[in-house]
Amino acid sequence: MSENYQPHAIEVKWQQKWEDSRLYRSQVDWDKPKHYALTMLPYPSGDLHIGHWFAMTPSDARARWMRMKGYNVLFPMGFDAFGLPAEQAAISRNIHPWKWTYANLERMREQMRSMGAMFDWEREAISCTPEYYKWSEWFFKRFYEHGIAYRGSALVNWSETLQTVLANEQVIDGKDERTGQPVVHKMMEQWFFRITKYADELLNFEGLDWPEPIKIMQTNWIGRSEGARAAFHTAVGNHPIEIFTTRPDTLWGATFMVLAPEHALVDVITTPEQRASVDEYVKETALETEIERMLEHREKTGVFTGAYAINPVNDEKIPIWIADYVMITYGAGAIMAVPGHDQRDFEFAKAHDLPIRVVIQPGDMTEALTVEAMSAAYDGPGVMVNSDAMDGSLSSDAKGRKNPAIARVIDWLEATGKGEEAINYRLHDWLISRQRYWGGPIPMIYDGDEIIPVPDEDLPVLLPEDVDFMPTGRSPLTYHEPFFKVDETRRRETDTLDTFMCSSWYQLRYLSPDCDAAPFDAEEAAYWLPVDVYTGGAEHAVMHLLYTRFFTKVLRDLGLYDDAVAAMRRHGRDPEGAFDEPMTILRNQGQVLGGERQGDFVLCSGRAVGERMLAHRVEVVDWNQVPPGFDGVFGELAHRTEDVLHVEMAGITQFVKVERDAEVIIPDIPGKNNVNQLRHHLEIQRMSKSKGNVVNPDELVEKYGADVVRCYLMFNFDWQKGGPWNENNIKGPQGWLHDVWDIVVAGAPTSPGAADAERDIERKLHQSIAVINRGLEDFSFNTAIAEQMKFKNYLKAALREEKIGARCWWEIINPTLRLLAPFAPHIAEELWARLGFDYSVHTQSWPAYDAEKAREEQVDLVVMINGKPRETIPVDVDIAKELAVTLALESAAAKRSLSGEAPKRAIFIPGRNGTDPKVNVVV
RNA sequence: GCCUCCGUAGCUCAGGGGUAGAGCGCUCCCUUGGUAAGGGCGAGGUCAUGAGUUCAAAUCUCAUCGGAGGCUCCA
């Protein structure tokens, strides 16, 4: 017998050989079609985890498949290496961010090599290197010159924990998305990117093959709404209050106004009598977190300012209130309240006894809407009433100008100068400055009030290395005088760039990571762009994925792709649309979750103290092995908090407090045990160190080999969904690869083979090729591998029955290894070499699907009686309708049910793509 | 509350108007000189529930129940 499959021996060998022979070097070749496959670059946090493997290895398999199909494939990798964790490591462990980052990065790069992926490491880009961030700075300057980057004052999110401002996209439910700590609103002067200028274009996903949820999330985030803007003047003094409304047709129903408590005019317009209560309310809301404020079904609180506004459409004097249900961050931070037709305003009016007026009368109701009878605001269609000249206008369900009443009112507002059509976005400009050290410097200098960009020839502004990390929480740059002090009057910007800016263009840097004349080489860009397939997590939907689209569009409008466009033309390719979007196809992988784990079955002895037991002895035993007469607490350890055990038996939880010096016996763990070593029940949930359900890929590779781990990850999950880890299932892919190994190293059989079996295995091979192709195309890696297993099973059975001859064996094994190559690159390469084929299997062509060879010849004609299958008759694959019906009617089943009568109908269903032909006899 | 996706074998998932499928797991048998293994045989499903359309529904339609994700005082 031949030797066994020993993954480690071959994997390291081939990884070295691939590297030495530069097998994965990708270079521009205008004679070949290109394919730019990209997976989101990792942050160098320390160790590669199973999620990285899950994200990267299936993408690698697909990239390899594309390469074998004849594409010139670019599949680069790099690191998103700026960010707070490095700085926190510096503060807490006194390691410089450079050192911490580089150590992690080198470690992760080594771990990534063990994947056997086809990354072209010669194109690696690392965002924290001066060679990289020079161009992040350079882009910032170009943006500044064209008014895309600007310094402005705005209410921003300040994180006390992180001591920096954050972009809106990084704040979820009022909390920082990374640490989950609350943020506060602060008025600050910061650097912004004018992403709102691109809001409408970003809403257009034409030509993008992206997951629907991502498009929806971006659309929601941008939050476009059409309506009108109008100014309400105060009755006393001249303080116009800007409002935005999507319902200008209800302007005549405005019976009061509401300002957000943070609104700048609150202080100005409040009357002395109301001053105390207004101040009190403003103070209260300032203390509320965003979360509290956004709770549903909250009581509508608010206070009167004492001031009045004049409704511009009917000169009515209406009171101005402040209330926390109006958000300073949305629209103008002030609203006209129309309680008759807006539920929130209705609730507020009811709570504070404010007048309600009907200005839209539902047309189809027999009884007219009256304020007295209303129990809720009416927001349906109808006819405008109580609205002077606009009365009678039809207000439909439609939004914006599509609604005739709204269109008419907008026209009237514009004609009379009382207001204008307006579009409001939820999206705000992108706040890109951070009060942190470990980020790309912003290349700006302040001279008094004047802002002076650093000249291009002085880029990059280097991050100083000799900085002190003081526990003040402040960026070391703010007290590093050599850095910020340019001269006596000029001071350098000490804020740094949001790391999302660096990752907004990394797909361009891969094109030419060593280029020092430009951020990217035009010729390379012309050939490779855009990214054809982008894979990564869905959590970046409104951050990275929105930012990078914005970035691409800005670069295009600034003419930064002009050279690339010219190069495309030179090479006879159409540049139309090539630089509008960064990534054509986007797919999100799901998440590998921690598997479910049974808790230890424990026997606790001790004495009862009130409701719970105070235990002096806890023993772990085999499941349900309770000694007769045991009178303590026993059951599964469901949960543990410190030394309190939650022991569950038959759905009842009992609490056991374990004494400090109690005896803990865990048979599987030798030596003296303690309460912390008890294993509690684990639900299926995200992997995290604190939950103790993390899977270490290095250990898996050590145990099973990289190929098995790759295949397990592709096979055991629906890639786009993810799911719970179950190491037991790794035996499937392991057995498969072992079998393939055995089949190949056993060599060609000596038996002569049987023609029909050989024809059959050839047919099965081609049927499998079709399924595998579809699986890879659709990112259904699991079905592609299941199909390969299935084919292996057929082949194995045929070989065992000695029905395959030597010639057929060679004809089958060769494509089998090529089909295997993208999934398990090492074993495929090893077996390929052992059979004496030319290096490398990865540069071979992908087996072509031959429909003729895949075609079945004999099939079963299914005879159905009233839709129920009753009998099968073997027939030719392309049996004609007449013959099929005749055969069916002559079948025993048909004769039995017809018993001499004529059938009502006989319906012939020809077999197509693999299904058998059928005849349904209706009796 | 709204939007999107999803309920198929014990598990993970394919399929999808026309005979209910794969891998793993499981039962039983064989092997014990491939051995933290190998081989063989087999069992397992009212395709979430209810109604409708159809000669025929797991598949299409509607409703209900259950799950996952996203949005949510958006003026």
Side-chain angles (χ1 to χ4, degrees), chain A residues 193 253 297 302 339 344 537 611 632 677 679 684 694 707 727 883:
Chain A
F193 280 171
H297 305 305
R344 295 153 302 178
E611 294 279 293
Q677 292 171 307
R679 284 150 59 100
I684 292 169
V694 176
D707 282 338
E727 198 164 326
L883 179 59

Side-chain angles (χ1 to χ4, degrees), chain A residues 762-779:
Chain A
E762 179 191 56
R763 174 160 45 233
K764 292 282 197 297
L765 173 70
H766 281 273
Q767 289 173 350
S768 288
I769 292 172
V771 175
I772 295 164
N773 277 337
R774 195 149 59 95
L776 283 165
E777 182 72 47
D778 298 346
F779 299 81

